[in-house]
Amino acid sequence: MRKAYVDIPQGQLHYLTEGTGIPLVLCHQSPNCSRMFTAAIPLLAEAGFRVLAFDTPGHGESSPLQHEPSIPDYARALLSGLDALELEHFHLLGHHTGAAIAAEMAVSAAGRVDSLILNGPPLFSPDTRAQRRLKDPLRIVPTEGGQHLLTLWELRKRVTPGWSDLRVMQRAVVDLLRCGNRVHQGHAAVYDYDLEQALMQLNVPTLILTNTGEDLYQHSLATFALRPDAFKLSELPGGTHDIVDEQPVAWSHAVASFVAQVVG
């Protein structure tokens, strides 16, 4: 697995890459970064993929955008990165916030996306999106005694019921801290985005991937129910929104199997 950067008009995108086969682009949840896929990237590379896992602008090591970003802004930035890498066609996977970004990419660059995997798509009703947008956004305010570190740790634990891997929890909180005053931006962009409209426009083989223990499980089922004639559904048992770390072999197999069906 290698780290790399690509220049885009908005700055630089950082990404992890491994493999030489079928191009597969991975988009992470917020406020994480591409590191959420490190357990699966070698497995996907072994399965015949050239994996590229990008840090969304303002996350991980990618340059932030110079304004409050929208889902289309994120999508354009990632597509610019793929343009710079001269990657015309690719398979695409997004997790949570990344699923909204991936859906937008599949709509705006439909001819380039060969298949789409939406892992825990954040499909909220308009009322829910409006209510969540009005709530005070998460902010990281350093305190002299470091109490903010414990507050963020407890918050990540609270939103991950059933968590079991201390290493993954540590990494997630570090990634959250690295976002700084941009930590709210990914979620805010989701609440401003009409994902349902994008889903209804999709014209590409699409898999809804979920696991029964994750916080957006019911949202995944609702997404599948929108277009059961056009979408496929795959469920893994148990787990949390850290499913890639918890079940990397099963998760990678679900991804590889779907793409193989499309390619075949």
Side-chain angles (χ1 to χ4, degrees):
M1 191 185 309
R2 297 181 62 83
K3 298 180 179 181
Y5 287 90
V6 61
D7 292 326
I8 62 173
Q10 301 91 335
Q12 286 189 310
L13 289 179
H14 171 260
Y15 64 100
L16 301 176
T17 186
E18 185 172 350
T20 58
I22 300 168
L24 174 64
V25 176
L26 307 180
C27 304
H28 61 82
Q29 65 180 338
S30 296
N32 288 19
C33 68
S34 58
R35 296 197 302 169
M36 71 165 286
F37 295 114
T38 52
I41 289 174
L43 299 174
L44 292 169
E46 290 176 8
F49 293 100
R50 175 191 176 190
V51 185
L52 301 100
F54 286 91
D55 288 349
T56 302
H59 297 72
E61 298 178 36
S62 288
S63 303
L65 301 180
Q66 298 305 308
H67 57 274
E68 194 77 8
S70 66
I71 293 298
D73 290 333
Y74 286 137
R76 281 190 290 269
L78 294 183
L79 287 169
S80 293
L82 294 169
D83 289 341
L85 293 172
E86 299 182 345
L87 199 59
E88 183 63 26
H89 289 273
F90 50 90
H91 299 264
L92 179 61
L93 178 147
H95 186 281
H96 285 209
T97 303
I101 297 170
E104 175 64 24
M105 292 171 68
V107 170
S108 59
R112 301 175 63 181
V113 179
D114 293 331
S115 75
L116 177 65
I117 302 174
L118 303 177
N119 191 172
L123 180 63
F124 300 107
S125 70
D127 287 345
T128 299
R129 289 194 290 117
Q131 291 169 6
R132 293 195 176 202
R133 195 65 173 95
L134 290 174
K135 288 184 177 180
D136 289 336
L138 176 63
R139 303 287 185 183
I140 297 176
V141 182
T143 58
E144 184 176 348
Q147 293 91 343
H148 65 291
L149 301 176
L150 181 57
T151 298
L152 295 171
W153 180 267
E154 292 298 333
L155 173 62
R156 187 47 162 77
K157 285 170 56 180
R158 187 166 66 251
V159 300
T160 317
W163 73 277
S164 58
D165 193 324
L166 191 60
R167 175 188 58 86
V168 174
M169 188 63 66
Q170 165 80 358
R171 187 191 68 206
V173 174
V174 169
D175 289 343
L176 185 155
L177 285 165
R178 293 172 75 189
C179 290
N181 60 9
R182 299 179 300 275
V183 68
H184 67 286
Q185 290 184 343
H187 291 162
V190 165
Y191 302 146
D192 283 340
Y193 183 65
D194 190 346
L195 178 56
E196 181 173 347
Q197 182 181 39
L199 293 169
M200 299 308 293
Q201 296 180 62
L202 290 175
N203 189 26
V204 62
T206 300
L207 173 69
I208 310 303
L209 177 58
T210 186
N211 54 287
T212 58
E214 82 135 328
D215 43 335
L216 294 185
Y217 174 63
Q218 293 299 329
H219 300 76
S220 296
L221 298 184
T223 301
F224 174 68
L226 279 178
R227 300 182 62 187
D229 57 326
F231 296 164
K232 294 184 180 297
L233 177 68
S234 179
E235 295 184 15
L236 299 176
T240 70
H241 47 218
D242 295 327
I243 188 66
V244 181
D245 289 286
E246 294 160 342
Q247 300 183 34
V249 174
W251 187 88
S252 299
H253 178 72
V255 172
S257 296
F258 175 70
V259 175
Q261 292 173 13
V262 173
V263 173

